[in-house]
């Protein structure tokens, strides 16, 4: 990229024109770029952090839709990525030169991500915020980083694993302040509230999640966890009676099914799966395949990559395909 125009660098340490400080005191990561500063603002800067370049024009209506979304996502990234906006009409020489090296600037808006002096990825056309955020997340991941929200979600999940649901709930709430449409945060908040015994709060959180996320696995999994928790609580109240029924008749599969719900509600996942697998092993078709269907619900509630899910799914596969 060293041959691109823009050989007039800004003085070291100077902020680009039109880049006021943001509330945190850091320079605004969103700036206007020109062909005279392209090397400094984009190519050289990309050796320290990913740089997105928004190629736009005043006459381009999709550009006016996309640019505010880009600015919002980049500012939310907390200084981990930069956005440089380049008006292709005001910088025709740069646009022509970039076209010659393969950038399809005939169709704008076009956003190109630069990293280590090279183009890492790009997309064309106006995109919704969720897709823009996903693009930035992928760019940061390729550069060895992550959005602040992604870091918070990971920390919150670790807090959940270590039994600190209240702390996790606070972290998931922080994510939603940054990204109101983050499905992992909505699902995580609901799960944390379930662990805290606040089932009403969990239901409210799931109802408050944007409708566009209704089919997301994070949301459906949290809903399944809430439903199973409620079913299990009722079964837990009758656990002693249920165990007595099984002791009297080991083939009382209805009792085993109820016991599985109680065990799951108590956090005894492996034992809950054992009861359902016992039913499947004895009678795969019992009650219209109810044991297998319930296991699938458990997997959804636990998470598809959870170790208990993986172990139980492996055992179920052995039964089904033996």
């Amino acid at each position: 990229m060293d041959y691109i125009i823009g050989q007039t660098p800004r003085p070291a340490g100077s902020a680009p024109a039109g880049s006021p400080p943001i509330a945190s005191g850091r320079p605004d990561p969103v700036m206007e770029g020109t062909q005279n500063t392209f090397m400094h603002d984009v190519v050289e800067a990309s050796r320290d952090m990913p740089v997105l370049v928004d190629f736009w024009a005043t006459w381009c209506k999709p550009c006016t839709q996309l640019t505010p979304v880009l600015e919002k996502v980049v500012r939310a990234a907390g200084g981990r990525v930069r956005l440089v906006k380049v008006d292709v009409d005001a910088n025709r020489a740069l646009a022509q030169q970039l076209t010659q090296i393969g950038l399809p600037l005939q169709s704008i808006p076009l956003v190109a991500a630069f990293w280590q002096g090279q183009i890492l990825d790009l997309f064309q056309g106006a995109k919704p915020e969720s897709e823009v955020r996903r693009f930035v997340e992928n760019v940061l991941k390729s550069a060895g980083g992550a959005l602040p929200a992604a870091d918070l979600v990971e920390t919150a999940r670790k807090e959940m694993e270590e039994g600190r649901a209240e702390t996790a709930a606070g972290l998931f709430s922080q994510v939603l302040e940054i990204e109101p449409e983050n499905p992992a945060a909505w699902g995580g908040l609901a799960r944390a509230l379930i662990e805290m015994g606040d089932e009403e709060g969990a239901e409210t959180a799931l109802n408050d999640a944007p409708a566009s996320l209704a089919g997301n696995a994070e949301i459906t999994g949290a809903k399944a966890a809430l439903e199973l928790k409620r079913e299990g609580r009722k079964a837990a109240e009758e656990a002693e009676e249920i165990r007595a029924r099984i002791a009297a008749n080991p083939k009382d599969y209805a009792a085993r099914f109820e016991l599985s719900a109680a065990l799951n509600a108590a956090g005894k996942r492996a034992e809950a799966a054992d009861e359902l697998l016992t039913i499947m092993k004895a009678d795969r078709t019992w009650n219209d395949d109810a044991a297998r269907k319930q296991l699938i619900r458990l997997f959804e509630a636990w998470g598809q990559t959870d170790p208990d899910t993986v172990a139980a799914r492996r055992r179920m596969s052995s039964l089904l395909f033996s």
Side-chain angles (χ1 to χ4, degrees):
M1 289 288 176
D2 291 343
Y3 52 83
I4 292 179
I5 28 186
Q7 301 296 330
T8 308
R10 289 195 173 96
S14 66
S19 300
I22 56 179
S24 65
R26 294 189 301 266
D28 191 343
V30 177
M31 62 193 70
E32 301 290 339
T34 71
Q35 55 199 29
N36 292 327
T37 60
F38 192 84
M39 279 294 294
H40 178 273
D41 292 346
V42 177
V43 179
E44 293 174 9
S46 74
R47 301 189 188 283
D48 297 320
M49 74 171 69
V51 178
L52 305 186
V53 183
D54 175 20
F55 294 99
W56 66 285
T58 55
W59 49 263
C60 170
K61 186 174 180 179
C63 295
T64 63
Q65 298 170 342
L66 177 63
T67 298
V69 176
L70 281 167
E71 292 178 352
K72 178 181 177 182
V73 173
V74 167
R75 287 191 172 110
R80 304 182 188 203
V81 64
R82 170 184 289 187
L83 174 64
V84 177
K85 300 181 291 185
V86 175
D87 182 338
V88 294
D89 286 343
N91 297 276
R92 291 183 181 275
L94 174 63
Q96 182 178 3
Q97 194 169 12
L98 291 172
T99 299
Q100 290 174 353
I101 64 170
L103 271 183
L105 290 174
Q106 300 87 348
S107 178
I108 56 173
L110 180 140
V111 176
F114 285 74
W115 172 240
Q116 296 296 305
Q118 303 295 325
I119 296 173
L120 179 64
D121 200 357
L122 58 83
F123 71 83
Q124 287 179 290
K127 304 287 184 186
E129 183 177 333
S130 58
E131 290 188 31
V132 172
R133 184 179 298 110
R134 191 176 304 116
F135 178 82
V136 175
E137 285 175 346
N138 289 336
V139 167
L140 283 169
K141 187 179 295 185
S142 297
L147 286 173
D151 288 345
L152 283 172
V153 167
E154 184 63 27
T155 301
R157 284 175 170 163
K158 289 179 180 177
E159 293 292 327
M160 284 285 287
E161 290 172 4
E162 295 173 8
R164 292 187 287 272
E166 187 171 352
T167 301
L171 291 169
F172 285 127
S173 295
Q174 287 181 43
V175 174
L176 292 174
E177 291 177 8
I178 302 170
E179 297 181 6
E181 296 188 8
N182 188 304
W186 282 111
L189 176 60
R191 288 177 183 275
L193 291 169
I194 292 169
E195 288 299 313
M196 293 163 62
D198 186 359
E199 293 175 18
E200 184 177 341
E203 184 172 21
T204 298
L206 291 169
N207 289 336
D208 288 345
S212 59
L213 302 179
N216 187 281
E218 296 281 359
I219 304 300
T220 58
K223 285 183 176 178
L226 179 58
E227 291 168 1
L228 289 166
K229 183 73 172 181
R230 287 171 168 169
E231 293 169 13
R233 185 176 62 254
K234 181 180 178 182
E237 293 170 357
E238 304 169 356
E240 187 174 343
E241 178 187 340
I242 294 171
R243 290 184 185 278
R245 285 164 54 193
I246 295 172
N249 178 15
K251 293 186 178 182
D252 187 343
Y253 301 138
R256 289 190 180 277
F257 191 91
E258 293 172 29
L259 181 59
S260 173
L263 290 167
N264 179 63
K268 299 179 180 179
R269 294 180 173 182
E271 293 178 38
D274 283 343
E275 294 299 332
L276 296 173
L277 289 165
T278 296
I279 297 171
M280 288 181 62
K281 186 175 182 179
D283 184 354
R284 294 183 192 177
T285 62
W286 174 79
N287 197 19
D288 193 24
D289 203 19
R292 184 189 64 82
K293 292 176 181 177
Q294 183 73 342
L295 265 175
I296 298 301
R297 288 183 71 203
L298 291 179
F299 297 163
E300 186 177 30
W302 298 345
Q304 298 299 334
T305 59
D306 185 272
D308 290 312
T309 296
V310 173
R313 186 190 290 118
R314 186 180 299 117
R315 292 176 62 195
M316 182 175 71
S317 297
S318 297
L319 283 174
L320 292 175
F321 300 109
S322 60

